[in-house]
Every structure is written in C-alpha cells, then in structure tokens.
Amino acid sequence: RPLLSPTEFNGYPLNLLILASALEKNKFSVEICDYDFLKEVEPDWIGDEFCEKAAIHILTKEPVFVGITAMCSNYILALDLASKLKAKSPNIHITLGGPHVS
C-alpha cells in the first residue's frame, strides 16, 4: 500500500489482510508491504524518492505477482510505483486494486 498521507496514519489495510488470508489458505506465500504504516516507524519512507525506494524494496523479495491498492489520495503514487516496478522487472505481473481502481 503506497503512502496515503505524509503525516497521518490511516489505519490497517483490512482489504489486504483479507486477501492475504485467502491466498495463504490456498498455499500462496504472501507479504504485505504497507508503506503507509512503515512511515510511522521509519519516516525516511516519506519523500520524493518513495516509489523508487519502494520498488527496490519490493523486488528484493523476488515476487512474481505484485498487487497495489489505490485510493484517490495515493493513485498517482500507485501508478508511479507500478511503472518503476515494471521498468526494473518487465516480466513481473502487477495488478492494481482498491477503491480508486474499482
């Protein structure tokens, strides 16, 4: 989940937790990278280089599939993150979900 706000914590991503639970139940390995939460404990996630840094962080986990949730407030960051991921790993499957996409 990309940053929603540089200054406020916006709660836990129940949508991602429900999705992760369903995937794990079907034997998929899941890791949630909730950058909106991480900024609370590591403020250096906030800044102009967020998408570049997040893309590198995600790719160190060697995923074959990345889901990015997007709300109106972080839609541009979600698109930028997807673009950076695709540029660094052209064969990775990326899906956008969340209220803005729906």
Side-chain angles (χ1 to χ4, degrees):
R1 175 171 77 158
L3 300 175
L4 294 169
S5 158
T7 57
E8 297 176 29
F9 176 60
N10 294 282
Y12 298 101
L14 295 179
N15 58 335
L16 298 180
L17 297 170
I18 291 166
L19 179 59
S21 176
L23 289 168
E24 286 177 341
K25 203 173 211 179
N26 286 286
K27 309 295 185 229
F28 288 92
S29 174
V30 177
E31 182 163 345
I32 296 174
C33 297
D34 183 2
Y35 298 105
D36 197 60
F37 172 74
L38 283 176
K39 77 172 190 299
E40 298 296 313
V41 293
E42 296 177 35
D44 59 323
W45 281 106
I46 301 169
D48 293 338
E49 295 299 317
F50 164 75
C51 290
E52 180 72 21
K53 185 176 176 181
I56 291 167
H57 181 252
I58 290 167
L59 292 174
T60 62
K61 297 166 185 319
E62 300 180 356
V64 294
F65 179 92
V66 174
I68 302 172
T69 188
M71 298 175 70
C72 293
S73 61
N74 70 352
Y75 181 65
I76 300 300
L77 280 178
L79 291 179
D80 191 23
L81 176 57
S83 177
K84 299 256 191 265
L85 286 165
K86 215 35 148 160
K88 294 179 182 314
S89 184
N91 295 324
I92 198 167
H93 179 93
I94 301 172
T95 295
L96 262 59
H100 193 84
V101 177
S102 298

